[in-house]
Each structure stands twice: as C-alpha cells, then as structure tokens.
Amino acid sequence: MTFTLYNYVLSGNCYKIRLLAALLDVQYGTVAVNFHPGGEHRQEPLLRLNPAGTLPIMVTSDQTLTETQAMLVWLAQHYDDSNSWWPIHDLDTLPTVIQWLGFANRLTSSIGALRQHTLLNKPADASTTRAAGIAALRELECRLAEQSIRGEQWLAGKSPTVADIACFPYTALSPDAGIENDDYPAIRSWLHSVRSLDGFITMPGIHELHQMRDPAGASAGTLRDHHG
Amino acid sequence: MRAKTGHEDLVVWRSASGVLSAWENRCPHRGMRLSHGFVRGESLACAYHGWHFECSGRCHYIPAHPELELPRTIKPTTFDVVERDGLVWVNTTEKAIPFSLPAGATPLRSITCNTTLDALTNHIFGTTKPCSNSGCHSTTVESQQPCVLSTLLTDSSHRVYLAMQASEDHTTVVHALLSMEANETQRITVSRWLESLRREAESP
Ligand SMILES: N[C@@H](CCC(=O)N[C@@H](CS)C(=O)NCC(=O)O)C(=O)O
Ligand code: FES
C-alpha cells in the first residue's frame, strides 16, 4: 500500500489529499474517522498518531504526516514524474508555491472554521472568522487577477501545483460558510479551471462541472461548461 | 453569473454561440436562483429541477415531463442587454443604452467595495492619491456621467475608466478599464491601486 489516509468525508483538508491522489492516479487505503459527532480524532488511539488532534493524518511506509500541505508535497514528490505539481527544479516558482501553501492555512482557520461553525455548530467567533475569510478571498482574488493579467491561470507558474490544490477546497466551500463567491470573478474562473482538471473528483458541496452536450447528442461533451 | 443592479437581482449568462442574456434571477418554477444553474449549449438549465430556458427566456424543456408541449408564457422576466467595450449594460426598465467610452479601453478587473456609490465617488473626488510607484503621476478625475462613470488620468498616456455600479445592499461594484497600450506592469500597478482605493474608501 502506498499510504493510509485517516479520512473524514466532509473535511476540506482530507479532500485535498483525495483530490491530488485522484489527479495523480494513486491508489491508497483509508480509515474512516468519526470526526463528528464522535470526535474520534481527539481521543486515543488517534492522538497517539497525531497529538494535535486534527485530520487528515497520512501514514506512509516510513513516516506519519499530520499537516495537509506536507502530505500534498509527499504525494507530488512520489507520484508526479513530471515534477510539475511540486516544481522542485523551478526555483523561480517554488517559493511562490510555498507562499500559497502557507496561505492555505489561513483559509482553513477562517473559512474552514466558520464552515464547521455553520454546518456542525462548532464554536467559532463568527464575525472574526468571517472578516478573516473575506480578507483571504480578496487576497486570493487579487493574486489570481494579476496572474490573469500575466496570461496565467494558476497560483504559481504556468501549470497547476500543490498550491492550487491546497487553496481550492475552502475557497470552493465558502458558500457553506455563508460567503458567496459572486464578488470574485478571478476566483470563479480559477475554480472552474481546477474542476476542469483531468481526473477531478468531488466532495459534498463541491460538484462536478456539468458537461455541455450537443443538443442533438452528436458530439461527446468536449465544449467547456460555463457555470452560471 | 449573478449580478445586481439597484434593487434587481440578475442572472447574466452567455450561450455557447455567444448570445448574452440578463434575466431576473428567479426560476419561474420554484424560485431557485438561476445563477446557480448551468449553460447547456443555447439554454440555461436551472440547478433545481433542470428546467431549460432558451435565450429568449422561453422554457422549452422540463426533464420530468419531456413530452409536454410548453406554453410560451413560462419564462423569467427578461431585460434588455448590450455589450460594448467589454462591459455588459443592462436596463431593467427600458432599452439599455451604454455610455460611450473612448475607443481603446479594455477591461482590467471588477472589484466589489463595501461602501455606497456616493461614499465611493466622494472618496475618489475628494482624496484620490496618485497611483504611485511606477509611471503613474498626476491624477485628475473627470466625470463623464455623474456618479456612473469617471475617468482618472494616471499619466500622460494611460487612462483608467471606472464604471461604478451601485447595489441595494450598499455595496458598489467597480469595473475598471485601462488603455489598451498599458503594459503588464502598468496593469498590475493599477490593480494594486484599485485595492488601496477600496481599502481607503472602506476605512471608517
Ligand atoms: N494543520 C492541520 C489542520 C487541519 C485541520 O484543521 N483539520 C480539521 C478538520 S478539516 C480538524 O481536524 N479540526 C479539529 C477539530 O475541529 O476538532 C492541517 O492543515 O493538516
Ligand atoms: S426551481 Fe427551477 S426548475 Fe424547479
């Protein structure tokens, strides 16, 4: 087995790992954790694996990782032969990738926390997390708008990287937290690009692109969908 | 996509062949926001029960009753829409007439400010600072259409045009356009300047 993922279906962070694994076509094992209402991740024996009491947890043949962004790097390093998802040889792009991996933690602590508060009634300061979530989306929008001025559609460099995967779930899930994405045109088109990736998978709250079909059924849905 | 003008909540969408439509953002079936729907060829499909509406607004397909002959009256309220200079103009009461922009302006980006249109224009006319740190020096503001369109002269060759759209929830969408000749660095500088304009206008 390549690795084992301690997984919770509604977690945006767990979904990052499932998504990149699907994009890289990697098979793995999962252990379903009763995150809510069981709170298993905050109890033994899971605390022995991850004393921080968070999900996801990734167990490989020789190590245990408890930070989502590190798991993304592990996956890319082992299974992306093109070295494009973790562009280790592109020294202009790599620092930017790491910058947006760091930013992804701010999406978790703002939109992610507010979403858990909204969906699962977990404690959070709704107005502070909301303000932080909107500030984060504005920063992301600014970056993506500038990338589009440069003729680029991804967060760093010319192709998708682990940074795009790290920032995708909580941005796409912001409506769950009561923050609509109507006001962020560059974000909307980037979400569309991620959802168009070959091998893309969904989670509750993040659905597939509706493939556009020729009304006569003649061509096999190759045209881009234009999501409302 | 969803758009707001004054008191109207709109869905604005483009068909596969490029036809633009602007409708009331409410499905005639159960009132679902049509902006949650998706474009299928020349139709907009509602996300809820999948009713299909063609560009005229007419509903032509109901998945639950595919054989049904549908009355022409099933349609959302539609509005007049015109596209010019990369901007889409909608009029919810009469014919849409775009304000004319000098030739050569291309859209830069659209940002939403948490201020009313009045507060924003007051801020722009009162306190606008030069778009500093690369090539943009004198900043003078000219208003072409009161409260709707202003022009900012950034440096001798490049102008920024701001088309400002008020919405009933006291926010304002600013669509910024810039002379076609502006290069990448200048475009990014103006984008950053817009961000600081918003920060200043929003700060109490
Ligand atoms: N640093 C961790 C944080 C992950 C995180 O916050 N996970 C959430 C679930 S998506 C969690 O476990 N929260 C603990 C809780 O709410 O009990 C990472 O990025 O991997
Ligand atoms: S609400 Fe639109 S199809 Fe039912």
Side-chain angles (χ1 to χ4, degrees), chain A residues 138 141-142 145-146 149-151 180 182-185 188 210-213 215 223 225-228, chain B residues 1-2 16 33 35-41 108-110 112-114 184 187-188 191-192 195 198 202:
Chain A
R138 283 182 169 192
E141 171 74 14
C142 178
E146 290 177 5
I149 290 169
R150 295 184 185 98
E180 294 298 328
D182 301 296
D183 292 340
Y184 308 94
R188 282 209 318 272
H210 295 272
Q211 212 66 51
M212 213 162 70
R213 279 180 210 97
L223 286 168
D225 152 276
H226 299 257
H227 198 266
Chain B
M1 65 168 285
R2 186 179 183 195
R33 269 185 206 151
S35 56
H36 288 305
F38 37 90
V39 177
R40 288 228 163 142
L108 181 72
R109 51 181 297 210
S110 302
T112 303
C113 300
N114 255 329
E184 194 179 290
R187 293 187 159 265
I188 288 175
S191 167
R192 288 290 167 124
E195 298 263 336
R198 172 170 67 185
E202 285 179 353

Side-chain angles (χ1 to χ4, degrees), chain B residues 2-61:
Chain B
R2 186 179 183 195
K4 287 172 259 175
T5 70
H7 50 278
E8 209 77 60
D9 192 350
L10 306 174
V11 56
V12 181
W13 66 282
R14 193 190 294 279
S15 77
S17 73
V19 180
L20 259 182
S21 311
W23 303 342
E24 184 192 5
N25 196 9
R26 236 184 90 80
C27 180
H29 181 217
R30 290 282 175 79
M32 177 75 170
R33 269 185 206 151
L34 286 168
S35 56
H36 288 305
F38 37 90
V39 177
R40 288 228 163 142
E42 298 305 301
S43 313
L44 181 67
C46 176
Y48 204 1
H49 311 95
W51 287 24
H52 281 49
F53 303 90
E54 54 193 37
C55 300
S56 67
R58 191 174 78 97
C59 178
H60 68 97
Y61 178 67

Side-chain angles (χ1 to χ4, degrees), chain B residues 8-202:
Chain B
E8 209 77 60
D9 192 350
L10 306 174
V11 56
V12 181
W13 66 282
R14 193 190 294 279
S15 77
S17 73
V19 180
L20 259 182
S21 311
W23 303 342
E24 184 192 5
N25 196 9
R26 236 184 90 80
C27 180
H29 181 217
R30 290 282 175 79
M32 177 75 170
R33 269 185 206 151
L34 286 168
S35 56
H36 288 305
F38 37 90
V39 177
R40 288 228 163 142
E42 298 305 301
S43 313
L44 181 67
C46 176
Y48 204 1
H49 311 95
W51 287 24
H52 281 49
F53 303 90
E54 54 193 37
C55 300
S56 67
R58 191 174 78 97
C59 178
H60 68 97
Y61 178 67
I62 294 178
H65 305 280
E67 314 305 334
L68 215 63
E69 193 62 46
L70 296 166
R72 304 200 140 259
T73 46
I74 308 184
K75 59 183 268 186
T77 311
T78 61
F79 303 116
D80 195 44
V81 58
V82 177
E83 188 176 17
R84 188 181 297 170
D85 309 311
L87 295 181
V88 173
W89 302 82
V90 180
N91 192 323
T92 55
T93 50
E94 47 197 285
K95 235 183 142 33
I97 301 168
F99 297 116
S100 61
L101 282 168
T106 53
L108 181 72
R109 51 181 297 210
S110 302
I111 70 172
T112 303
C113 300
N114 255 329
T115 56
T116 61
L117 176 61
D118 281 350
L120 187 63
T121 39
N122 285 342
H123 175 79
I124 292 173
F125 283 89
T127 62
T128 308
K129 292 181 198 75
C131 171
S132 58
N133 81 37
S134 98
C136 306
H137 301 300
S138 64
T139 312
T140 59
V141 185
E142 299 165 16
S143 172
Q144 292 198 328
Q145 306 282 346
C147 288
V148 181
L149 208 66
S150 310
T151 45
L152 292 175
L153 192 63
T154 55
D155 66 7
S156 48
S157 53
H158 302 304
R159 274 166 180 269
V160 182
Y161 304 94
L162 303 178
M164 293 186 280
Q165 178 190 347
S167 116
E168 206 175 41
D169 59 7
H170 302 296
T171 62
T172 307
V173 185
V174 180
H175 307 280
L177 298 91
L178 188 59
S179 342
M180 202 120 63
E181 304 79 38
N183 65 26
E184 194 179 290
T185 314
Q186 290 162 325
R187 293 187 159 265
I188 288 175
T189 304
V190 174
S191 167
R192 288 290 167 124
W193 168 82
L194 276 172
E195 298 263 336
S196 52
L197 183 72
R198 172 170 67 185
R199 264 191 301 274
E200 289 164 7
E202 285 179 353

Side-chain angles (χ1 to χ4, degrees), chain A residues 123-196:
Chain A
D125 177 338
S127 72
T128 311
T129 46
R130 187 180 160 83
I134 289 174
L137 288 185
R138 283 182 169 192
E139 255 180 86
L140 187 63
E141 171 74 14
C142 178
R143 169 68 184 176
L144 291 166
E146 290 177 5
Q147 284 295 84
S148 123
I149 290 169
R150 295 184 185 98
E152 304 297 345
Q153 58 172 328
W154 305 104
L155 276 173
K158 301 201 172 304
S159 60
T161 65
V162 289
D164 295 287
I165 302 303
C167 294
F168 174 73
Y170 289 112
T171 306
L173 291 168
S174 71
D176 277 0
I179 304 175
E180 294 298 328
N181 56 28
D182 301 296
D183 292 340
Y184 308 94
I187 286 180
R188 282 209 318 272
S189 89
W190 170 77
L191 292 176
H192 188 285
S193 303
V194 176
R195 289 158 79 225
S196 306

Side-chain angles (χ1 to χ4, degrees), chain A residues 8 10-14 16 35 41-42 52-56 66-69 71 105 108 115-116 122 170:
Chain A
Y8 178 60
L10 291 179
S11 151
N13 280 314
C14 295
K16 293 176 193 176
F35 180 91
H41 59 299
R42 297 189 181 200
T54 60
L55 291 181
T66 59
E67 287 294 330
T68 309
Q69 276 62 250
M71 302 174 206
N105 286 320
T108 301
R115 174 173 170 268
Q116 284 201 16
K122 298 240 179 179
Y170 289 112

